[in-house]
Amino acid sequence: MAIALLAATTFASLTACSPPEKKTESGASGAATATSAADLGGMDALVAAAKKEGQLNVIALPPDWANYGEIIKAFGDKYGIKVNSAQPDGSSQDEINAAGQLKGQGGAPDVFDLGGAVATANTALFAPYQVATFGDIPANLKDAKGTWVNDYGGYMSIGYDSAKVPAPTSIADLLKPEYKGKVALNGDPTQAGAAFSGVVMASLGSGGSADDIAPGVDFFGKLKKAGNFLPVDPTSATVESGQTPVVIDWDYLNVAQGAKLKGKMDWKTVVPANAVLGSYYVQAINKDAPHPAAARLWEEFLYSDDGQNLWLKGSARPVRADAMQKAGTIDATAFAALPKVEGTPVFLTDEQTTKAKDYLAANWQKAIG
């Protein structure tokens, strides 16, 4: 079965970059401008250059987000490269801010994992690079030069402690008294991709559309007035402690919570049938990466069969799923266990994302402040 996320948000093509520098015998000098492993002499040369750098800086990658904890360990173990993970609970905007604040310093992020809205606004910061499996990625899910590439995706969902609240069947159910002080949103929607998508999902379930997220903002205003909106950024700890009994977040994150808490809590996940919002996240390399070879090797790992199956193990839908199914390299058991979705998913276009982001910037605080 073809993966159902092929209509996800895409980004405008970018202008061509300058040709890569000629590499030296070590293959390391051209890493900062290499647009493929071939520019450095092949994968072996890339691996050697990355090992020489010895480190990789990642940011805003919680260990329990799409199985990133295992992914980071697997990469480090495979190549003997130390992975420095900064601000694991940071937002997409925090990643961009850190790149600006730490530019030219050894602690700057080497790579980004961003929500669509933030990625669209910051493509000038990205370095084009095509991984070995670039041809497997559908054209509408990548920039032609590899300046940005969709990586993994999912559907916006409602996770809940079934012992504390009734099963929600729609967005509107969250306004009921049973959910008083219990509904949390994963982040600030003006900065975090998951929270942004949560507002869009609420709009779809409240009479809005991909072109009009005002009903979604109004919904959270009503949720706040009803006393149901919980102004706490949910984490694994807040879910396990019972502080955030209902969490609006990506399905792969809510499913991961359920698996982690099995035997302790009956945490369930539902994708509202009348508000199905799908999206991919975006991978990109910082054009000013302090470890440019390690950054490119990280991308090669993420888009390999091993990396894609590790995301799938975390209940995230990998971008190469179709090609891997055809090749017989996908983890079939994990793929079959993904949450079921009823109805036609909605995906925002570039224009819709920009319009929604602008509306949120102007109206979010007024609605929930």
Side-chain angles (χ1 to χ4, degrees):
M1 180 180 66
I3 193 167
L5 289 173
L6 297 188
T9 299
T10 58
F11 303 101
S13 296
L14 305 175
T15 56
C17 68
S18 58
E21 300 173 3
K22 292 182 179 180
K23 64 181 179 65
T24 62
E25 290 183 359
S26 69
S29 69
T33 52
T35 58
S36 70
D39 287 346
L40 291 171
M43 276 298 296
D44 288 346
L46 174 60
V47 171
K51 285 186 173 181
K52 185 176 180 180
E53 291 174 350
Q55 298 186 61
L56 173 75
N57 298 339
V58 301
I59 184 171
L61 300 183
D64 54 358
W65 177 290
N67 201 31
Y68 260 122
E70 187 172 352
I71 290 170
I72 289 171
K73 184 179 186 303
F75 176 80
D77 289 348
K78 181 172 184 176
Y79 296 110
I81 293 172
K82 180 183 179 183
V83 181
N84 306 308
S85 183
Q87 293 181 256
D89 292 321
S91 68
S92 293
Q93 188 59 49
D94 288 333
E95 299 182 48
I96 298 301
N97 294 345
Q101 293 162 0
L102 299 174
K103 183 177 180 180
Q105 300 179 39
D110 287 308
V111 290
F112 302 114
D113 186 323
L114 303 164
V118 175
T120 301
N122 292 282
T123 51
L125 301 180
F126 308 157
Y129 184 79
Q130 295 186 13
V131 295
T133 57
F134 195 72
D136 284 350
I137 303 167
N140 64 322
L141 300 182
K142 64 188 178 186
D143 169 67
K145 293 179 174 59
T147 308
W148 59 264
V149 185
N150 289 143
D151 45 13
Y152 60 88
Y155 297 101
M156 198 38 57
S157 70
I158 302 170
Y160 63 99
D161 181 350
S162 62
K164 291 189 174 180
V165 296
T169 59
S170 69
I171 292 295
D173 281 349
L174 300 181
L175 293 170
K176 293 179 179 178
E178 293 91 334
Y179 297 89
K180 191 173 184 64
K182 292 182 171 63
V183 184
L185 179 65
N186 190 1
D188 178 344
T190 66
Q191 298 186 31
F196 169 86
S197 295
V199 176
V200 179
M201 178 186 74
S203 181
L204 297 177
S206 303
S209 68
D211 293 307
D212 179 19
I213 70 158
V217 176
D218 291 343
F219 169 82
F220 277 96
K222 294 175 183 177
L223 203 67
K224 176 71 180 297
K225 290 179 181 177
N228 292 13
F229 185 53
L230 185 61
V232 173
D233 196 359
T235 65
S236 293
T238 66
V239 170
E240 187 167 359
S241 70
Q243 186 181 5
T244 54
V246 180
V247 175
I248 295 175
D249 206 347
W250 293 113
D251 59 351
Y252 50 87
L253 300 182
N254 275 323
V255 168
Q257 290 289 3
K260 180 180 178 182
L261 297 173
K262 190 174 182 179
K264 298 180 181 179
M265 178 187 297
D266 190 12
W267 184 264
K268 295 183 178 181
T269 301
V270 61
V271 176
N274 64 336
V276 182
L277 179 73
S279 181
Y280 276 103
Y281 271 76
V282 177
Q283 274 293 317
I285 295 171
N286 182 358
K287 69 177 184 178
D288 297 312
H291 309 105
R296 286 155 175 78
L297 184 59
W298 171 253
E299 299 302 318
E300 294 284 1
F301 178 74
L302 292 180
Y303 289 96
S304 69
D305 288 346
D306 287 346
Q308 295 278 288
N309 275 323
L310 283 171
W311 267 326
L312 180 55
K313 187 176 178 181
S315 298
R317 293 164 169 81
V319 74
R320 290 184 52 238
D322 279 349
M324 290 169 66
Q325 278 187 292
K326 291 175 183 176
T329 58
I330 200 165
D331 183 336
T333 300
F335 194 65
L338 294 174
K340 301 299 183 288
V341 175
E342 296 182 6
T344 303
V346 172
F347 299 91
L348 299 190
T349 64
D350 293 348
E351 293 76 16
Q352 289 167 337
T353 297
T354 299
K355 181 180 178 182
K357 183 181 177 184
D358 290 344
Y359 187 86
L360 275 171
N363 295 282
W364 177 250
Q365 286 302 326
K366 290 188 289 186
I368 60 97

XYZ file of all heavy atoms in Angstrom, residues 16-112:
679
model
N 20.567 28.190 -7.532
C 21.723 27.301 -7.530
C 22.830 27.851 -6.660
O 23.005 29.054 -6.529
C 22.235 27.128 -8.964
N 23.599 26.950 -6.068
C 24.712 27.386 -5.245
C 25.988 27.302 -6.070
O 25.998 26.774 -7.178
C 24.841 26.517 -3.997
S 25.342 24.838 -4.386
N 27.073 27.833 -5.540
C 28.338 27.795 -6.244
C 28.859 26.371 -6.282
O 28.515 25.550 -5.439
C 29.352 28.692 -5.521
O 29.504 28.259 -4.194
N 29.675 26.025 -7.278
C 30.184 24.661 -7.373
C 31.075 24.328 -6.191
O 31.678 25.216 -5.593
C 30.993 24.688 -8.688
C 31.341 26.134 -8.888
C 30.188 26.887 -8.340
N 31.162 23.055 -5.847
C 31.970 22.662 -4.687
C 33.449 22.885 -4.913
O 33.937 22.852 -6.039
C 31.657 21.163 -4.541
C 31.231 20.731 -5.908
C 30.520 21.905 -6.496
N 34.163 23.092 -3.797
C 35.604 23.252 -3.867
C 36.245 21.930 -4.242
O 35.706 20.865 -4.008
C 36.151 23.672 -2.491
C 35.601 24.975 -1.981
C 36.049 25.221 -0.547
O 36.822 24.394 -0.027
O 35.637 26.225 0.033
N 37.404 22.017 -4.828
C 38.147 20.790 -5.092
C 38.643 20.231 -3.772
O 39.125 20.955 -2.919
C 39.324 21.086 -6.021
C 38.894 21.477 -7.432
C 40.108 21.701 -8.323
C 39.684 22.070 -9.736
N 40.852 22.301 -10.614
N 38.567 18.935 -3.646
C 38.978 18.322 -2.393
C 40.494 18.136 -2.354
O 41.150 18.010 -3.375
C 38.282 16.973 -2.200
C 38.650 15.928 -3.246
C 37.894 14.652 -2.996
C 38.230 13.612 -4.050
N 39.624 13.194 -3.990
N 41.020 18.112 -1.162
C 42.423 17.795 -0.980
C 42.550 16.285 -0.848
O 41.561 15.559 -0.927
C 42.962 18.463 0.298
O 42.246 17.930 1.398
C 42.783 19.955 0.237
N 43.745 15.785 -0.617
C 43.952 14.346 -0.481
C 43.131 13.781 0.671
O 42.664 12.660 0.632
C 45.432 14.051 -0.252
C 46.270 14.319 -1.496
C 47.727 13.963 -1.294
O 48.076 13.522 -0.175
O 48.501 14.119 -2.232
N 42.945 14.576 1.703
C 42.174 14.090 2.858
C 40.690 14.056 2.579
O 39.926 13.396 3.243
C 42.425 14.999 4.072
O 41.825 16.268 3.849
N 40.261 14.816 1.557
C 38.841 14.861 1.213
C 38.042 15.742 2.135
O 36.837 15.852 2.006
N 38.676 16.412 3.093
C 37.931 17.150 4.112
C 37.632 18.586 3.722
O 36.629 19.141 4.116
C 38.709 17.129 5.424
N 38.524 19.209 2.924
C 38.376 20.645 2.693
C 37.115 20.997 1.934
O 36.580 22.085 2.082
C 39.602 21.184 1.944
O 39.627 20.679 0.615
N 36.618 20.082 1.089
C 35.435 20.381 0.302
C 34.142 20.017 0.965
O 33.082 20.161 0.358
N 34.170 19.523 2.203
C 32.951 19.051 2.854
C 31.907 20.147 2.979
O 30.716 19.900 2.812
C 33.277 18.464 4.228
N 32.340 21.362 3.267
C 31.388 22.453 3.503
C 30.587 22.811 2.261
O 29.510 23.402 2.372
C 32.125 23.684 4.019
N 31.096 22.454 1.083
C 30.370 22.773 -0.146
C 30.004 21.533 -0.943
O 29.450 21.636 -2.035
C 31.213 23.716 -1.034
O 32.508 23.154 -1.223
C 31.324 25.095 -0.402
N 30.301 20.362 -0.408
C 29.971 19.123 -1.103
C 28.465 18.957 -1.232
O 27.733 19.084 -0.252
C 30.556 17.927 -0.353
N 27.999 18.683 -2.437
C 26.568 18.495 -2.659
C 26.198 17.018 -2.781
O 25.040 16.680 -2.985
C 26.116 19.249 -3.924
O 26.871 18.775 -5.044
C 26.338 20.751 -3.767
N 27.186 16.157 -2.665
C 26.974 14.710 -2.611
C 28.264 14.080 -2.108
O 29.319 14.729 -2.078
C 26.625 14.151 -4.001
O 27.755 14.194 -4.856
N 28.188 12.813 -1.736
C 29.394 12.118 -1.290
C 30.427 12.040 -2.401
O 31.638 12.043 -2.155
C 29.039 10.717 -0.795
N 29.953 12.002 -3.645
C 30.858 11.914 -4.784
C 31.806 13.114 -4.843
O 32.948 12.991 -5.302
C 30.060 11.820 -6.081
N 31.362 14.263 -4.377
C 32.211 15.459 -4.380
C 33.437 15.291 -3.495
O 34.428 16.005 -3.650
C 31.417 16.682 -3.906
C 30.415 17.166 -4.939
O 30.515 16.736 -6.104
O 29.541 17.970 -4.576
N 33.356 14.363 -2.553
C 34.481 14.114 -1.650
C 35.244 12.839 -2.016
O 36.166 12.442 -1.309
C 33.979 14.013 -0.207
C 33.465 15.324 0.411
C 32.806 15.056 1.748
C 34.604 16.301 0.566
N 34.809 12.200 -3.097
C 35.482 10.977 -3.509
C 34.733 9.716 -3.158
O 35.274 8.617 -3.267
N 33.484 9.840 -2.692
C 32.677 8.674 -2.370
C 32.400 8.548 -0.878
O 32.900 9.311 -0.059
N 31.595 7.544 -0.533
C 31.180 7.359 0.853
C 32.347 7.092 1.791
O 32.377 7.588 2.914
C 30.163 6.231 0.956
C 28.731 6.637 0.673
S 28.096 7.884 1.839
C 28.145 6.955 3.371
N 33.310 6.306 1.356
C 34.449 6.014 2.234
C 35.185 7.296 2.612
O 35.604 7.478 3.764
C 35.412 5.037 1.551
C 34.860 3.622 1.469
O 33.864 3.341 2.168
O 35.421 2.805 0.713
N 35.337 8.194 1.633
C 36.022 9.458 1.897
C 35.185 10.340 2.815
O 35.724 11.024 3.697
C 36.312 10.189 0.586
N 33.860 10.315 2.629
C 32.980 11.094 3.502
C 33.064 10.577 4.932
O 33.155 11.360 5.890
C 31.534 11.034 3.003
C 30.482 11.699 3.901
C 30.777 13.185 4.078
C 29.075 11.498 3.329
N 33.022 9.266 5.087
C 33.124 8.671 6.418
C 34.447 9.051 7.077
O 34.490 9.429 8.262
C 32.987 7.137 6.345
C 33.307 6.511 7.707
C 31.574 6.737 5.915
N 35.524 8.992 6.309
C 36.837 9.337 6.853
C 36.887 10.793 7.291
O 37.425 11.128 8.359
C 37.921 9.059 5.818
N 36.317 11.687 6.478
C 36.314 13.110 6.814
C 35.471 13.376 8.051
O 35.827 14.187 8.911
C 35.787 13.921 5.627
N 34.340 12.684 8.146
C 33.459 12.863 9.304
C 34.125 12.340 10.574
O 34.039 12.961 11.647
C 32.137 12.149 9.061
N 34.780 11.203 10.480
C 35.477 10.651 11.647
C 36.605 11.572 12.086
O 36.891 11.708 13.289
C 36.019 9.262 11.319
C 34.953 8.182 11.271
C 35.581 6.809 11.081
C 34.543 5.707 11.199
N 35.137 4.359 11.048
N 37.250 12.222 11.130
C 38.317 13.166 11.461
C 37.753 14.339 12.256
O 38.376 14.819 13.208
C 39.009 13.651 10.194
C 40.210 14.549 10.446
C 40.906 14.919 9.144
C 42.118 15.820 9.412
N 42.815 16.188 8.154
N 36.554 14.805 11.881
C 35.904 15.881 12.648
C 35.521 15.368 14.034
O 35.642 16.089 15.016
C 34.663 16.367 11.900
C 34.972 17.118 10.610
C 33.719 17.453 9.809
O 32.623 16.945 10.152
O 33.840 18.215 8.834
N 35.035 14.142 14.090
C 34.802 13.478 15.365
C 33.551 13.836 16.130
O 33.232 13.197 17.128
N 32.811 14.858 15.681
C 31.623 15.288 16.417
C 30.515 15.714 15.461
O 30.768 16.064 14.306
C 31.950 16.469 17.333
C 32.969 16.180 18.415
C 33.120 17.357 19.370
O 32.168 17.760 20.037
N 34.333 17.905 19.445
N 29.309 15.705 15.988
C 28.134 16.187 15.268
C 27.245 16.912 16.260
O 26.964 16.395 17.336
C 27.355 15.020 14.648
C 26.013 15.392 14.005
C 26.238 16.085 12.662
C 25.124 14.161 13.824
N 26.804 18.110 15.912
C 25.902 18.879 16.766
C 24.475 18.798 16.240
O 24.197 19.254 15.126
C 26.318 20.347 16.814
C 27.695 20.553 17.407
O 28.212 19.710 18.128
N 28.310 21.690 17.107
N 23.586 18.199 17.037
C 22.166 18.192 16.692
C 21.429 19.026 17.738
O 21.954 19.294 18.821
C 21.597 16.760 16.637
C 22.343 15.929 15.605
C 21.653 16.078 18.008
N 20.214 19.419 17.412
C 19.466 20.284 18.322
C 17.977 19.993 18.221
O 17.469 19.636 17.151
C 19.758 21.773 18.006
C 19.052 22.699 19.012
C 19.394 22.123 16.571
C 19.463 24.161 18.894
N 17.292 20.128 19.353
C 15.833 19.966 19.434
C 15.380 18.575 18.982
O 14.389 18.435 18.278
C 15.120 21.056 18.637
N 16.103 17.546 19.427
C 15.740 16.159 19.112
C 15.511 15.376 20.402
O 16.415 14.724 20.910
C 16.846 15.488 18.288
C 17.207 16.116 16.946
C 18.267 15.283 16.243
C 15.970 16.282 16.065
N 14.297 15.413 20.949
C 14.019 14.645 22.158
C 14.238 13.153 21.900
O 13.879 12.658 20.826
C 12.536 14.936 22.436
C 12.234 16.194 21.680
C 13.117 16.161 20.481
N 14.807 12.429 22.845
C 15.078 11.007 22.644
C 13.840 10.190 22.306
O 13.924 9.187 21.594
C 15.668 10.568 23.988
C 16.227 11.807 24.584
C 15.309 12.912 24.154
N 12.668 10.612 22.813
C 11.439 9.864 22.566
C 10.625 10.433 21.408
O 9.478 10.070 21.206
C 10.585 9.800 23.837
C 10.306 11.170 24.431
O 10.802 12.177 23.889
O 9.600 11.234 25.447
N 11.224 11.338 20.641
C 10.554 11.920 19.466
C 10.982 11.119 18.234
O 12.132 11.138 17.819
C 10.952 13.383 19.318
C 10.404 14.085 18.115
C 10.740 13.890 16.807
C 9.417 15.127 18.102
N 10.032 14.736 15.993
C 9.214 15.504 16.761
C 8.699 15.775 19.104
C 8.317 16.512 16.391
C 7.805 16.777 18.734
C 7.615 17.138 17.388
N 10.041 10.370 17.649
C 10.302 9.600 16.426
C 11.512 8.668 16.573
O 12.207 8.385 15.606
C 10.484 10.529 15.228
N 11.760 8.224 17.804
C 12.836 7.269 18.092
C 14.228 7.882 17.942
O 15.212 7.170 17.689
C 12.712 6.030 17.192
C 13.434 4.821 17.743
O 13.552 4.648 18.955
N 13.935 3.975 16.856
N 14.346 9.190 18.129
C 15.640 9.838 17.943
C 16.704 9.366 18.930
O 17.902 9.395 18.619
C 15.497 11.358 18.006
C 15.467 11.996 16.637
C 14.380 12.766 16.234
C 16.521 11.824 15.747
C 14.352 13.345 14.970
C 16.495 12.401 14.490
C 15.406 13.154 14.106
O 15.383 13.723 12.850
N 16.299 8.944 20.117
C 17.289 8.450 21.069
C 18.066 7.276 20.496
O 19.309 7.240 20.542
N 17.352 6.322 19.919
C 18.005 5.155 19.324
C 18.756 5.532 18.047
O 19.830 4.984 17.762
C 16.963 4.073 19.026
C 17.582 2.763 18.557
C 16.570 1.628 18.448
O 15.407 1.813 18.876
O 16.955 0.559 17.933
N 18.206 6.458 17.286
C 18.863 6.888 16.043
C 20.214 7.525 16.341
O 21.229 7.221 15.695
C 17.956 7.876 15.276
C 16.734 7.133 14.719
C 18.722 8.561 14.144
C 15.663 8.036 14.156
N 20.242 8.413 17.323
C 21.491 9.079 17.695
C 22.528 8.068 18.174
O 23.697 8.122 17.786
C 21.222 10.146 18.777
C 20.460 11.334 18.159
C 22.519 10.624 19.423
C 19.948 12.342 19.182
N 22.091 7.127 19.000
C 23.017 6.105 19.506
C 23.546 5.237 18.368
O 24.752 4.918 18.303
C 22.330 5.233 20.548
C 23.258 4.199 21.191
C 22.534 3.369 22.235
C 23.499 2.449 22.973
N 24.230 1.542 22.050
N 22.662 4.843 17.452
C 23.067 3.980 16.346
C 24.100 4.662 15.456
O 25.077 4.047 15.023
C 21.844 3.570 15.530
N 23.896 5.953 15.185
C 24.842 6.712 14.359
C 26.195 6.810 15.058
O 27.246 6.573 14.448
C 24.284 8.106 14.078
C 25.230 8.997 13.324
C 25.368 8.881 11.948
C 25.976 9.964 13.994
C 26.245 9.700 11.244
C 26.848 10.800 13.293
C 26.980 10.665 11.919
N 26.162 7.172 16.335
C 27.398 7.307 17.099
C 28.169 6.003 17.186
O 29.397 5.966 17.019
N 27.431 4.912 17.423
C 28.072 3.607 17.528
C 28.657 3.148 16.194
O 29.753 2.568 16.145
C 27.067 2.557 18.020
C 26.691 2.733 19.478
O 27.367 3.514 20.187
O 25.711 2.094 19.914
N 27.953 3.410 15.118
C 28.388 2.938 13.794
C 29.659 3.632 13.324
O 30.550 2.999 12.747
C 27.268 3.136 12.774
C 27.630 2.642 11.376
C 26.436 2.680 10.441
C 26.798 2.092 9.082
N 25.632 2.023 8.173
N 29.740 4.948 13.581
C 30.849 5.710 13.035
C 31.855 6.205 14.080
O 32.865 6.805 13.712
C 30.308 6.903 12.240
C 29.507 6.483 11.040
C 28.118 6.667 11.004
C 30.119 5.877 9.950
C 27.375 6.278 9.906
C 29.377 5.474 8.844
C 28.011 5.672 8.823
O 27.264 5.268 7.734
N 31.576 5.974 15.347
C 32.493 6.440 16.377
C 32.556 7.951 16.466
O 33.593 8.525 16.795
N 31.432 8.592 16.165
C 31.342 10.050 16.198
C 30.501 10.474 17.401
O 29.415 9.943 17.624
C 30.718 10.587 14.895
C 31.680 10.329 13.721
C 30.393 12.077 15.004
C 31.089 10.651 12.372
N 31.004 11.420 18.170
C 30.272 11.910 19.330
C 29.151 12.838 18.883
O 29.387 13.817 18.170
C 31.210 12.666 20.277
C 30.516 13.203 21.520
C 31.467 14.011 22.392
C 30.758 14.574 23.620
N 31.654 15.416 24.430
N 27.940 12.537 19.311
C 26.796 13.375 18.962
C 26.450 14.263 20.151
O 26.098 13.773 21.221
C 25.572 12.532 18.555
C 24.402 13.448 18.185
C 25.919 11.599 17.399
N 26.552 15.564 19.947
C 26.207 16.543 20.980
C 24.767 16.989 20.742
O 24.471 17.619 19.732
C 27.148 17.751 20.899
C 28.605 17.351 20.964
O 29.027 16.638 21.863
N 29.398 17.800 19.989
N 23.890 16.637 21.658
C 22.475 16.940 21.501
C 22.085 18.119 22.392
O 22.003 17.987 23.614
C 21.630 15.711 21.850
O 20.261 15.960 21.651
N 21.835 19.273 21.788
C 21.485 20.490 22.522
C 19.974 20.705 22.545
O 19.274 20.335 21.609
C 22.163 21.693 21.881
N 19.489 21.312 23.627
C 18.080 21.705 23.755
C 17.124 20.623 23.249
O 16.331 20.870 22.335
C 17.828 23.002 22.979
C 18.519 24.221 23.540
C 18.203 25.465 22.722
O 19.030 25.935 21.937
N 17.010 26.006 22.880
N 17.171 19.431 23.798
C 16.313 18.363 23.274
C 14.827 18.680 23.265
O 14.089 18.131 22.441
C 16.629 17.177 24.195
C 17.253 17.767 25.406
C 17.983 18.978 24.939
N 14.398 19.571 24.132
C 12.982 19.944 24.141
C 12.728 21.285 23.458
O 11.671 21.891 23.629
C 12.455 19.978 25.580
C 12.411 18.594 26.211
O 12.056 17.642 25.499
O 12.746 18.465 27.403
N 13.694 21.743 22.655
C 13.554 23.019 21.954
C 12.582 22.923 20.781
O 12.188 21.831 20.353
N 12.208 24.076 20.253
C 11.295 24.147 19.122
C 12.068 24.322 17.821
O 13.287 24.547 17.819
C 10.342 25.336 19.295
O 11.066 26.566 19.172
N 11.356 24.257 16.709
C 11.986 24.491 15.410
C 12.620 25.883 15.353
O 13.728 26.058 14.839
C 10.948 24.342 14.290
O 10.509 23.003 14.176
N 11.918 26.873 15.896
C 12.466 28.228 15.882
C 13.713 28.327 16.749
O 14.645 29.080 16.434
C 11.408 29.237 16.354
C 11.827 30.691 16.176
C 12.133 31.047 14.733
O 11.351 30.741 13.839
N 13.269 31.690 14.499
N 13.770 27.556 17.825
C 14.968 27.528 18.667
C 16.183 27.052 17.865
O 17.307 27.517 18.078
C 14.770 26.608 19.873
C 13.827 27.181 20.918
O 13.720 28.419 21.003
O 13.201 26.398 21.649
N 15.959 26.128 16.953
C 17.049 25.633 16.113
C 17.618 26.751 15.248
O 18.840 26.944 15.145
C 16.555 24.497 15.207
C 16.036 23.278 15.946
C 15.615 22.181 15.000
O 16.384 21.861 14.067
O 14.507 21.636 15.165
N 16.713 27.498 14.631
C 17.132 28.604 13.768
C 17.815 29.689 14.588
O 18.847 30.251 14.182
C 15.917 29.178 13.016
C 15.291 28.112 12.107
C 16.321 30.408 12.212
C 16.226 27.537 11.065
N 17.256 29.997 15.749
C 17.852 31.020 16.615
C 19.270 30.630 17.023
O 20.187 31.464 17.035
C 16.993 31.226 17.868
C 15.636 31.819 17.564
O 15.405 32.344 16.472
N 14.726 31.746 18.506
N 19.456 29.353 17.357
C 20.776 28.880 17.773
C 21.786 28.987 16.644
O 22.952 29.339 16.864
C 20.685 27.437 18.252
N 21.352 28.717 15.424
C 22.252 28.818 14.278
C 22.751 30.248 14.107
O 23.923 30.483 13.784
C 21.544 28.352 13.008
N 21.859 31.215 14.341
C 22.256 32.614 14.231
C 23.134 33.063 15.380
O 24.163 33.724 15.167
N 22.748 32.680 16.576
C 23.487 33.111 17.764
C 24.871 32.485 17.858
O 25.804 33.090 18.374
C 22.678 32.764 19.016
C 21.382 33.555 19.137
C 20.393 32.915 20.103
O 20.661 31.870 20.702
N 19.221 33.528 20.249
N 25.016 31.260 17.355
C 26.279 30.527 17.477
C 27.056 30.453 16.164
O 28.017 29.690 16.060
C 26.003 29.104 17.984
C 25.341 29.003 19.362
C 24.983 27.559 19.681
C 26.257 29.575 20.440
N 26.659 31.222 15.194
C 27.330 31.195 13.890
C 28.832 31.430 14.048
O 29.262 32.338 14.747
C 26.733 32.260 12.973
C 27.323 32.245 11.570
C 26.631 33.269 10.684
C 27.231 33.263 9.273
N 26.554 34.256 8.392
N 29.625 30.571 13.431
C 31.070 30.702 13.503
C 31.688 30.026 14.718
O 32.910 30.003 14.848
N 30.853 29.472 15.587
C 31.343 28.814 16.790
C 31.207 27.288 16.666
O 30.356 26.783 15.934
C 30.570 29.296 18.018
C 30.673 30.791 18.262
C 29.884 31.236 19.480
O 29.858 30.540 20.493
N 29.231 32.390 19.395
N 32.026 26.576 17.397
C 32.032 25.124 17.328
C 30.777 24.460 17.835
O 30.511 23.303 17.520
N 29.976 25.187 18.617
C 28.753 24.617 19.168
C 27.515 24.870 18.341
O 26.409 24.491 18.743
N 27.639 25.492 17.180
C 26.480 25.766 16.326
C 25.882 24.462 15.809
O 26.583 23.463 15.643
C 26.890 26.649 15.159
N 24.589 24.442 15.529
C 23.971 23.222 14.994
C 24.577 22.857 13.637
O 24.806 23.734 12.798
C 22.498 23.596 14.842
C 22.291 24.794 15.710
C 23.592 25.524 15.707
N 24.808 21.585 13.428
C 25.269 21.107 12.122
C 24.099 20.816 11.199
O 24.199 20.979 9.980
C 26.096 19.833 12.290
C 27.475 20.099 12.877
O 28.180 20.968 12.331
O 27.832 19.447 13.870
N 23.004 20.365 11.787
C 21.843 19.942 11.005
C 20.565 20.439 11.678
O 20.553 20.766 12.856
C 21.791 18.409 10.874
C 22.903 17.910 9.966
C 21.880 17.732 12.247
N 19.500 20.462 10.876
C 18.195 20.895 11.370
C 17.157 19.817 11.113
O 17.209 19.099 10.113
C 17.727 22.163 10.653
C 18.651 23.336 10.754
C 19.294 23.825 9.618
C 18.873 23.975 11.966
C 20.131 24.926 9.697
C 19.710 25.073 12.057
C 20.347 25.550 10.917
